[in-house]
């Protein structure tokens, strides 16, 4: 009976493994699921910046001027673009969750939905920042 | 009478509370509530973030007085305050799920407490700022 667990030489055969992250070829739905968690945690950083901005405005003209200079710096701008992308990616991921919660999106279309989350987040981020730059220039 | 701990017939559940529940390692009994709250706040976040994205864009290049007037207008301050509450609740539950997944034992419990404190502090500070900006905008209106 126990022979199923033993190989020809009587040694122990390795038990079957269930698939896990270490051996799974990444597929888009899986990566987007991880991204939802990563962007959720990233959003905390973006929130802290927003709160710092609000506190600076509440504290008066001098601190607001400091905040304006800080947020106007190109390096901080790059960080802000990253946080914008994170928030939008997470928000679109939230839409995907809403579709699932309503009982849809489990068929073949799920891969398309995952790609749309990624593409949509990049497109909307670029569009928003293009709008900001245009508004600042004119 | 059958021993309440005996389930040797393979059918009846043992009539006793498992040790893991007694030690508090079982369900936290708020999973479903958190699941629903996470969805509820997600929806609120979604709507409010879209509204406030336009406000954020409109903020760029404003002077201090203009900025106070915009954020301090009730049409912005109220949605902003609601967004802060919704986002902080959402963040608290969201991070809690992540901590519960990866960190266990005393370290996990400590992180869960810090997480709750963090969300309350961030939310409190943000709401304080909004109220102060609102009052500043109002006092300008009164002075005029
Ligand atoms: C447009 C706004 C947002 C929407 C629609 C949204 C939606 C969601 C949804 C549906 C979930 C549940 C995912 C799951 O059960 O696996 C979630 C998780 C989470 N969200 Fe958000 N969210 C938004 C904004 C934010 C913000 C601003 C933050 C942080 C400050 C945040 C942090 C998190 C975290 C940490 C999680 C847990 C991630 C995980 O369990 O994998 N979210 N979000």
């Amino acid at each position: 009976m126990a022979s199923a667990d033993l190989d020809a030489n009587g040694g122990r055969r390795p038990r079957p493994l269930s698939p896990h992250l270490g051996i799974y070829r990444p597929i888009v739905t899986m990566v987007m699921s991880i991204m939802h968690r990563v962007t959720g945690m990233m959003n905390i950083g973006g929130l802290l910046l927003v709160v710092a901005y609000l506190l600076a405005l509440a504290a008066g003209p001098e601190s607001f001027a400091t905040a304006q200079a800080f947020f106007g710096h190109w390096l901080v701008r790059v960080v802000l673009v990253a946080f914008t992308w994170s928030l939008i990616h997470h928000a679109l991921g939230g839409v995907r969750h809403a579709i699932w919660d309503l009982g849809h999106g489990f068929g073949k279309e799920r891969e398309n939905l995952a790609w749309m989350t990624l593409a949509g987040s990049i497109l909307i981020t670029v569009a928003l920042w293009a709008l900001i730059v245009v508004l600042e220039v004119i | 009478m059958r021993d309440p701990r005996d389930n040797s017939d393979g059918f009846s559940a043992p009539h006793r509370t498992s040790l893991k529940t007694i030690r508090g390692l079982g369900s936290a009994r708020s999973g479903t509530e958190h699941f629903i709250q996470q969805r509820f706040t997600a929806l609120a976040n979604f709507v409010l973030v879209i509204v406030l994205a336009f406000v954020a864009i409109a903020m760029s290049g404003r002077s201090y007085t203009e900025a106070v007037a915009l954020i301090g207008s009730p049409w912005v301050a109220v949605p902003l305050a609601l967004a802060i509450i919704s986002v902080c609740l959402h963040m608290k539950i969201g991070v809690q799920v992540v901590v519960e997944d990866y960190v266990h034992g005393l370290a996990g419990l400590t992180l869960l407490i810090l997480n709750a404190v963090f969300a309350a502090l961030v939310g409190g500070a943000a709401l304080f700022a909004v109220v102060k900006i609102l009052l500043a905008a109002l006092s300008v209106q009164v002075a005029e």
Side-chain angles (χ1 to χ4, degrees), chain A residues 37 41 44 47-48 51 53-55 57-61 64 68 87 90-91 95 97 101 128 131-132 135-136, chain B residues 39 46 49 57 59-60 62 64 67-68 71 80 87 90-91 95 97-98 101-102 118 122 125-126 129 132-133:
Chain A
R37 178 158 282 194
M41 301 299 283
I44 300 170
L47 176 63
L48 286 180
V51 175
Y53 184 72
L54 289 175
L55 283 170
L57 180 59
F64 184 62
Q68 292 272 55
L87 178 64
H90 188 86
V95 172
H97 270 279
D101 290 345
L128 277 180
L131 186 61
I132 292 174
L135 282 179
E136 276 182 3
Chain B
R39 265 76 198 152
F46 191 80
V49 159
I57 291 172
M59 279 294 284
S60 71
R62 286 200 172 224
Y64 171 76
V68 168
I71 302 285
L80 183 55
V87 163
H90 180 90
M91 173 176 75
V95 174
V97 170
V98 177
D101 277 357
Y102 304 131
F118 175 76
V122 172
K132 203 168 169 223
I133 296 165

Side-chain angles (χ1 to χ4, degrees), chain A residues 2 5-7 9-15:
Chain A
D5 285 343
L6 303 175
D7 63 19
N9 304 320
R12 270 208 160 279
R13 241 207 287 225
R15 306 296 298 154

Side-chain angles (χ1 to χ4, degrees), chain B residues 6-43:
Chain B
D6 177 21
N7 63 339
S8 55
D9 61 1
F11 292 107
S12 40
H15 289 195
R16 63 172 180 178
T17 312
S18 65
L19 195 58
K20 72 168 195 287
T21 308
I22 293 166
R23 286 185 177 151
L25 300 175
S27 158
R29 266 175 224 86
S30 44
T32 310
E33 197 185 329
H34 279 175
F35 179 87
I36 293 168
Q37 277 180 7
Q38 191 71 351
R39 265 76 198 152
F40 193 65
T41 54
L43 185 62

Side-chain angles (χ1 to χ4, degrees), chain A residues 37-54 70-71 76 78-87 90, chain B residues 87-88 91 95 115 118 122:
Chain A
R37 178 158 282 194
V38 171
T39 53
M41 301 299 283
M42 272 178 79
N43 285 345
I44 300 170
L47 176 63
L48 286 180
L49 286 183
V50 171
V51 175
Y53 184 72
L54 289 175
F70 175 74
F71 285 108
V76 180
V78 173
V79 173
L80 286 182
V81 173
F83 279 136
T84 309
W85 169 79
S86 166
L87 178 64
H90 188 86
Chain B
V87 163
C88 286
M91 173 176 75
V95 174
N115 175 46
F118 175 76
V122 172

